[in-house]
Amino acid sequence: RDKRFSIRLKLLLIFGALLAVATFSLGFLALYMAKKAVTEKVEVHLKDKANDVAEIIGGRIAAFFQFIEGIARNPLLRDSNASWLEKARYLEREVSFNSDIIELSIVDSSGIVHFANGNTLNVSDREYFITAKNGGDFLSEPYISRADKKLIVTLSVPVKDENNRIISVLTADLPGIWISGNIKDVVVGQTGYCYIVAKDGLTTAHKDSDIVEKQTNMLENGKKDSRFASLSAFLQTAIDSSSDGMGYYVYNGNSYIASYAKIAKSGRTVVIQAPVNEFLGTVQTLRTSMYAIGAVVLLVALVVVYIVAHGIVKPIKNTVDALRGIAMGDGDLTVRLPIRGNDEVTDLSLYFNETISKIGSAIKAV
């Protein structure tokens, strides 16, 4: 005969497979829904955080411009007859009223800066001078000063006379990491942080001041080094976008989730990022727990199936043993099966006993 495949083993395999599929399918579905819920919540949180930071930074920049514009309206600076030295010395005194300002300078219409010590410096090619001379306000990206070779940012506003004509430009130099100081306390998750990039990809603010001082540009780094390609692609999307948004990228082998928002009227983009696993750590723990619970449930279920299968198979085995004894033994027709329960197996035992009894009676009659 072919090798037997017992009913008990069949029941174990069939019910075990069904239980395994059901348990792990439900576990997978539960994990998927949990991950989706957590991710959606994190995305909303990060987007709100990015917008809040963008509004705060935008407000602080606007307040600083208001402060500078207030100084630009001073009658001395608007007086065409006042000497440049007088204006420069007045601005030197004004610096003491704001600890963030390194220097206030007056620039004539030719682009020459006049200092309180009588020195001058040509900045006619600087964008902050050109923009203010044409009537606009300007906040530069961090750059190296020609005067002292330090990293600074410059705010500039036009100075107008009583006839509303632009006669000069007022500039305020601040430390190059001034904006960084406004975002260094922004923390998301355990290690997530905020940084700001300019239109060209230059990092203008970061919790790590070295990145700003080295004038790091991740867009350029992405073109030169494939390790930064994913981050560079994300930043390009964020810079090109006209609204807030979300994205994912890989950096140094880790996956990050990040949100971005625009700082009003500045062209800069706030980015808030954090490692994905910091937010999905709970889901990972849940996955491990559910797999462990699923394995225990499957094991218990298999034990129960084995016990049930044993209860079903045992009466059948008894019947088989009895028939084997009749067929291959001495033909004892007095053998009887125990009657237990009230199911199909019970009926099998009952009718087996009746059949053997009738066969015995027929043989006796013969």
Side-chain angles (χ1 to χ4, degrees), residues 46-66:
L46 288 180
K47 287 178 71 174
D48 289 344
K49 192 79 170 180
N51 280 298
D52 289 344
V53 173
E55 289 182 8
I56 291 171
I57 299 301
R60 290 178 180 175
I61 292 174
F64 222 105
F65 269 117
Q66 290 178 356

Side-chain angles (χ1 to χ4, degrees), residues 211-268:
I211 292 178
V212 178
E213 291 172 354
K214 292 177 181 177
Q215 298 186 287
T216 304
N217 189 316
M218 283 301 177
L219 293 185
E220 296 300 322
N221 289 347
K223 297 176 183 178
K224 302 173 184 177
D225 192 334
S226 60
R227 293 177 300 172
F228 304 111
S230 180
L231 172 57
S232 177
F234 165 78
L235 288 178
Q236 189 66 67
T237 300
I239 291 170
D240 293 341
S241 175
S242 59
S243 60
D244 59 6
M246 290 291 308
Y248 295 84
Y249 63 84
V250 178
Y251 179 63
N252 282 340
N254 297 317
S255 296
Y256 289 85
I257 180 173
S259 62
Y260 53 84
K262 297 294 183 180
I263 300 177
K265 299 179 181 179
S266 74
R268 295 169 179 81

Side-chain angles (χ1 to χ4, degrees), residues 128-182:
Y128 63 79
F129 166 73
I130 297 171
T131 301
K133 181 183 177 182
N134 291 324
D137 296 340
F138 188 82
L139 171 62
S140 75
E141 308 303 345
Y143 70 98
I144 303 299
S145 169
R146 290 173 182 168
D148 56 14
K149 307 304 180 183
K150 292 182 179 179
L151 187 73
I152 61 173
V153 293
T154 298
L155 292 85
S156 62
V157 296
V159 179
K160 302 177 181 178
D161 62 14
E162 295 179 354
N163 297 317
N164 208 36
R165 293 179 302 182
I166 298 175
I167 59 173
S168 60
V169 170
L170 174 64
T171 66
D173 293 338
L174 289 77
I177 59 173
W178 173 67
I179 300 180
S180 298
N182 288 279

